[in-house]
Amino acid sequence: MKLIVNGEDHDLAVTTLAELLATLDFEGDWLATAVNGELVHRADRSAHSLNDRDRIEILSPMKGG
C-alpha cells in the first residue's frame, strides 16, 4: 500500500496505524498521530484501518527549549 508519512512516500504492507508505527519503529506514549488531517487517539490506533494514499502525520515532542 502506498502511504504518505510525514510528507514522504512509503510503500508498505500494513493495514492499521498501529502496524505502521511498529514497522517504522515509532514507539512511545507521547506520539501524536493524524490520518488525513484527523487526530487518531492512541487507544484507536490498532483499530484504525489505513487506505492507499492516506496521509499520515506522526509527531513526537522535542526536549529542550
Side-chain angles (χ1 to χ4, degrees):
M1 171 178 332
K2 294 182 191 252
L3 300 168
I4 302 166
V5 181
N6 291 346
E8 295 181 15
D9 290 335
H10 291 269
D11 194 5
L12 301 165
V14 297
T15 58
T16 67
L17 184 55
E19 289 176 357
L20 174 69
L21 294 173
T23 298
L24 297 179
D25 292 326
F26 280 97
E27 295 182 22
D29 292 337
W30 297 102
L31 290 176
T33 56
V35 177
N36 300 321
E38 293 189 31
L39 220 65
V40 179
H41 294 281
R42 180 176 24 149
D44 299 329
R45 291 176 187 162
S46 293
H48 191 96
S49 297
L50 297 175
N51 298 302
D52 198 44
R53 304 303 294 168
D54 275 350
R55 298 183 73 82
I56 296 100
E57 296 296 327
I58 304 168
L59 304 170
S60 61
M62 294 177 56
K63 293 183 179 179

